[in-house]
């Protein structure tokens, strides 16, 4: 596992908890509650788990979106599911239509 992909593993548990709380707060500000569908676009990694936990802790359901899939495929998935919120990495180049992206850092150093 590369240093970038595993950087969350090397942060303190208190930092990981703060990142999770930030994600949870952002989701709640967007009105996410029980049963609301939230797209999660992140590579499979320890950092992705924090995003997943944030969605579940807010009461939402997650739609896994692979950032390596073509933009058109992601657009179809979002249209079919009508997910209005996407949780993604701060530096994600993926763009979405008709959604409210929540971009955040999954790592302690903001990368």
């Amino acid at each position: 596992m590369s240093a970038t992909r595993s950087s969350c593993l090397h942060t303190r548990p208190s930092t990981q908890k703060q990142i999770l709380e930030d994600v949870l707060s952002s989701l709640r500000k967007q009105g996410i509650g029980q049963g609301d569908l939230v797209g999660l676009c992140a590579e499979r990694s320890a950092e992705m788990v924090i995003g997943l936990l944030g969605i579940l802790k807010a009461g939402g359901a997650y739609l896994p979106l692979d950032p390596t899939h073509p933009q058109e495929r992601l657009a179809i998935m979002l249209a079919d599911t009508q997910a209005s919120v996407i949780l993604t990495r701060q530096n994600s180049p993926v763009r979405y239509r008709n959604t409210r992206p929540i971009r955040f850092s999954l790592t302690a150093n903001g990368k």
Side-chain angles (χ1 to χ4, degrees):
M1 190 177 287
S2 70
T4 302
R5 295 192 73 195
S6 65
S7 58
C8 184
L9 293 174
H10 300 293
T11 60
R12 291 187 204 154
S14 61
T15 303
Q16 292 172 351
K17 184 176 180 180
Q18 183 57 52
I19 295 167
L20 175 58
E21 292 302 319
D22 291 345
V23 169
L24 180 58
S25 174
S26 294
L27 290 169
R28 287 188 175 152
K29 285 179 185 174
Q30 291 293 323
I32 298 302
Q34 187 165 352
D36 292 328
L37 191 59
V38 177
L40 176 59
C41 187
E43 296 84 12
R44 292 180 186 181
S45 63
E47 292 92 349
M48 183 187 79
V49 174
I50 290 178
L52 177 59
L53 288 173
I55 293 168
L56 296 176
K57 199 169 183 181
Y62 81 102
L63 169 67
L65 299 169
D66 188 336
T68 63
H69 285 175
Q71 187 78 25
E72 297 80 23
R73 170 73 177 132
L74 297 174
I76 290 169
M77 291 175 71
L78 290 168
D80 285 348
T81 61
Q82 299 180 350
S84 61
V85 175
I86 305 288
L87 189 59
T88 187
R89 293 185 65 123
Q90 188 73 32
N91 59 357
S92 174
V94 180
R95 302 288 179 247
Y96 307 97
R97 293 183 192 154
N98 302 321
T99 61
R100 297 170 297 187
I102 299 175
R103 297 186 187 278
F104 68 98
S105 175
L106 288 169
T107 59
N109 60 8
K111 293 183 181 177

